[in-house]
Amino acid sequence: MTAIKAFIAGCAGHVLGPDEAAFFREAQPWGFILFRRNVETPDQVRRLTDALRESVGRADAPVLVDQEGGRVQRLGPPHWPAYPPAAAFGRLPANDFLLRREVARLGARLIAHDLRTVGITVDCMPVLDVPVPGADSVIGDRAYGRDAREVAILGRACAEGLLAGGVLPVVKHVPGHGRGNADSHHALPVVEAAREELSASDFLPFRVLADMPLAMSAHIIYRALDPRRPATVSRRVIGEVIRGEIGFGGLLMSDDISMNALAGTIGERARAASRAGCDIVLHCNGRLEEMKAVAEVVPTLAGAARLRAAAALARLAHEPEPFDVAEGRERLKSALAMGSAGAET
């Protein structure tokens, strides 16, 4: 049996280069992630996802993407629809929560259709972060709202829409990025809120969706939890909060370790995330030398992490539910138009 390494890798461009293919064949990453640099046309993306899986010899190797809608959408016009940000679903009529849930699920179901068609099987959404006044704008309209319960309800609807379409959701950024005072792509955010406040609000959506197959950690220091280490590299946060209080039992991946919130070399970051309790290390920028450094230090996927990975992929065993795509697109368009009209009055 092939020994799979506990990391997810990117690639540099629209096609898989021979050096990349040779590296993946040897290193055997658990999965892959695509970005805009990898996306041109539907046929091209399908060829790329096929090539990635062929490189590791595993037809079920997951291929991930960040396809939230709004500012974070790797597949977009002219070949794919422009989807709204999560906040658009929270702006639908406040007195009809069933409508909000239905439309959020519908949007995710349409995204799942787009992704499955080109061989992408994991979407890094829903965002379960709860923004607060004064926080950095990196989350902003990527959140479903500013009420934790509303975020939980609409986040679950989104996750269920993806699963119905045969795509695994990744809840992020556990245990909560909404209070971050910086964009973790560029700097290390620090959250000063008390543990009780975090538990009552920030953790709540993640507790409600603790049954989801995949989650992504936050590169944030929470002073009340671990004053020295960001959650991604903190045994205390992962063990006591993510696995403990929140009760998440699925596969935990790091956020991208090439982001500037983390310190040290790429290898040191990967090792620290693995030792802290991340099942899978995510590396996104597609730089081959960095990927080699990650592959050298991450463990083979084994034990509980391997079982969690297998359980996640088992959720893809069923065929997507029957779905009229054209009708779904019209329903989504009509519902969002109603929300826009309500916001203007």
Side-chain angles (χ1 to χ4, degrees):
M1 184 177 294
T2 302
I4 299 171
K5 298 299 286 289
F7 76 108
I8 293 166
C11 62
H14 293 156
V15 298
L16 188 62
D19 290 344
E20 292 173 324
F23 167 69
F24 293 149
R25 190 174 302 113
E26 179 181 359
Q28 288 292 316
W30 180 68
F32 305 95
I33 188 164
L34 302 186
F35 282 81
R36 286 181 183 170
R37 66 178 184 268
N38 308 121
V39 173
E40 186 177 31
T41 67
D43 286 344
Q44 170 267 321
V45 175
R46 168 55 87 173
R47 288 193 297 270
L48 179 56
T49 58
D50 287 345
L52 289 167
R53 292 190 171 99
E54 183 180 353
S55 73
V56 293
R58 286 181 276 118
D60 66 345
V63 178
L64 296 75
V65 75
D66 291 285
Q67 189 78 347
E68 300 172 12
R71 290 177 288 145
V72 181
Q73 180 170 340
R74 313 306 187 197
L75 288 70
H79 299 291
W80 294 273
Y83 287 96
F89 301 107
R91 289 195 293 264
L92 292 171
N95 61 345
D96 193 345
F97 229 103
L98 288 177
L99 173 67
R100 289 183 176 187
R101 289 174 54 188
E102 177 190 356
V103 178
R105 186 185 191 278
L106 174 60
R109 179 64 183 86
L110 287 164
I111 288 175
H113 167 79
D114 297 343
L115 301 185
R116 278 282 294 222
T117 300
V118 294
I120 297 171
T121 51
V122 182
D123 191 2
C124 298
M125 76 167 191
V127 171
L128 299 185
D129 306 315
V130 184
V132 299
D136 187 88
S137 61
V138 64
I139 298 300
D141 65 358
R142 297 169 64 192
Y144 292 96
R146 292 178 177 267
D147 177 81
R149 289 172 177 79
E150 179 175 339
V151 169
I153 291 169
L154 296 182
R156 175 165 287 281
C158 164
E160 290 174 352
L162 290 176
L163 287 166
V167 170
L168 297 178
V170 180
V171 297
K172 61 186 188 184
H173 307 81
V174 64
H177 205 304
R179 296 179 192 272
N181 60 356
D183 180 346
S184 54
H185 293 88
H186 307 299
L188 176 60
V190 177
V191 169
E192 304 284 356
R195 172 80 178 248
E196 294 75 16
E197 191 174 6
L198 293 170
S199 181
S201 180
D202 303 58
F203 301 169
L204 188 150
F206 296 100
R207 286 199 299 269
V208 172
L209 278 81
D211 59 321
M212 287 294 122
L214 299 159
M216 179 185 291
S217 68
H219 295 337
I220 294 183
I221 284 181
Y222 305 87
R223 294 282 194 205
L225 307 179
D226 185 333
R228 295 193 301 117
R229 299 177 185 85
T232 297
V233 295
S234 171
R235 288 185 181 179
R236 185 182 305 170
V237 175
I238 291 175
E240 294 181 11
V241 177
I242 296 175
R243 296 299 190 190
E245 180 176 348
I246 288 172
F248 177 68
L251 191 76
L252 179 65
M253 69 178 68
S254 73
D255 203 343
D256 179 14
I257 61 164
S258 62
M259 292 161 61
N260 289 331
L262 299 183
T265 67
I266 287 295
E268 290 168 344
R269 298 175 191 189
R271 183 183 288 110
S274 295
R275 289 179 173 175
C278 289
D279 296 316
I280 298 285
V281 170
L282 177 64
H283 181 270
C284 294
N285 65 26
R287 295 173 186 164
L288 187 55
E289 291 307 310
E290 289 191 11
M291 291 190 286
K292 289 179 179 178
V294 172
E296 286 179 3
V297 301
V298 296
T300 298
L301 194 61
R306 182 176 175 179
L307 293 176
R308 288 192 279 260
L313 294 183
R315 301 283 287 270
L316 297 176
H318 66 88
E319 288 296 313
E321 68 177 19
F323 185 61
D324 186 321
V325 177
E327 180 188 11
R329 295 204 192 285
E330 284 301 314
R331 283 196 291 135
L332 180 63
K333 181 180 178 181
S334 297
L336 292 172
M338 177 174 29
S340 297
E344 293 171 1
T345 58

